[in-house]
Amino acid sequence: MGVRVGVVVCVTSFLLGALFTHWIADSLTLWKTPVTDEHLWTAASYYSILANGPVEILYFLSAVVVLGGTTILWSLRDGEAENLMFDGGSIFLFGVTILMYLNSVLPKIFDTFASLPSHQLKDPFPRALRGATLELASNNLICSVALTGVLALQAGRFWAESTDSDDLEVDDADELKGRKSRAKTPELRAN
């Protein structure tokens, strides 16, 4: 149990960290007002670098995603109520992230940002790219929140299971005390 949870937490944390690297671009479009053409060109240039980067990075990220998804699914095999609740929620959030990334984020990066028109930072930003840039930042934020939910569910699972094991230890200790006191009582009566 501990190794599986550890793998899920490590994979999710790694993917969350990978999404946080997009903060360079996303912070300019989500959290700055007003969103200027310079902000949009900076974000678009960042995504253009990603679109034209080495394909091995995608292979590595895909392997990490498969490892995480497989580990969460493997945990469901136990069939315990805690696993169904926490791992079911984790699978849902992990799946939402994967679907959003495969259906929205990656196609937008590769289709829209693979080749940008030559520009200066002060040039007017094309209206067609504006919506794609803002939507990409929003999708990255949604994926980050979903993966944070996976971490919260796994922490909840750990807490619930550790509380159960603490209760079992207390029950075992109380039972042992009860046996010792019952064992001493006949000796006192015999004397």
Side-chain angles (χ1 to χ4, degrees):
M1 186 277 306
V3 173
R4 285 183 272 174
V5 171
V7 169
V8 171
V9 168
C10 287
V11 164
T12 304
S13 298
F14 178 82
L15 294 174
L16 202 51
L19 282 171
F20 285 156
T21 61
H22 302 323
W23 184 253
I24 296 165
D26 296 345
S27 67
L28 297 173
T29 56
L30 289 177
W31 308 107
K32 302 262 183 184
T33 53
V35 177
T36 65
D37 288 338
E38 187 175 334
H39 292 155
L40 292 167
W41 277 122
T42 303
S45 298
Y46 172 80
Y47 289 122
S48 179
I49 291 169
L50 287 181
N52 296 308
V55 72
E56 290 81 14
I57 293 173
L58 281 177
Y59 294 147
F60 178 74
L61 285 174
S62 298
V64 170
V65 167
V66 167
L67 175 66
T70 302
T71 306
I72 294 173
L73 288 171
W74 183 22
S75 294
L76 276 179
R77 186 179 57 116
D78 293 344
E80 296 176 16
E82 293 90 14
N83 288 359
L84 295 176
M85 182 175 68
F86 291 114
D87 288 338
S90 294
I91 287 170
F92 174 77
L93 291 174
F94 203 81
V96 165
T97 303
I98 291 169
L99 286 174
M100 178 164 286
Y101 227 75
L102 290 176
N103 292 328
S104 184
V105 174
L106 290 178
K108 195 165 298 301
I109 287 174
F110 291 117
D111 295 343
T112 308
F113 296 99
S115 61
L116 287 179
S118 60
H119 63 277
Q120 299 293 322
L121 280 179
K122 300 292 183 185
D123 290 347
F125 195 75
R127 191 167 288 291
L129 279 177
R130 182 182 179 86
T133 306
L134 295 174
E135 185 179 332
L136 195 53
S138 297
N139 289 341
N140 282 331
L141 181 62
I142 291 168
C143 290
S144 296
V145 170
L147 288 177
T148 303
V150 172
L151 288 178
L153 285 169
Q154 292 303 310
R157 175 185 175 183
F158 175 77
W159 178 78
E161 288 178 357
S162 67
T163 302
D164 287 346
S165 68
D166 289 347
D167 290 344
L168 288 175
E169 288 174 13
V170 169
D171 290 343
D172 289 344
D174 289 344
E175 185 178 322
L176 185 60
K177 283 182 189 176
R179 277 193 237 151
K180 284 182 180 179
S181 69
R182 284 191 298 269
K184 286 182 181 179
T185 304
E187 290 176 11
L188 293 175
R189 288 183 189 158
N191 291 333

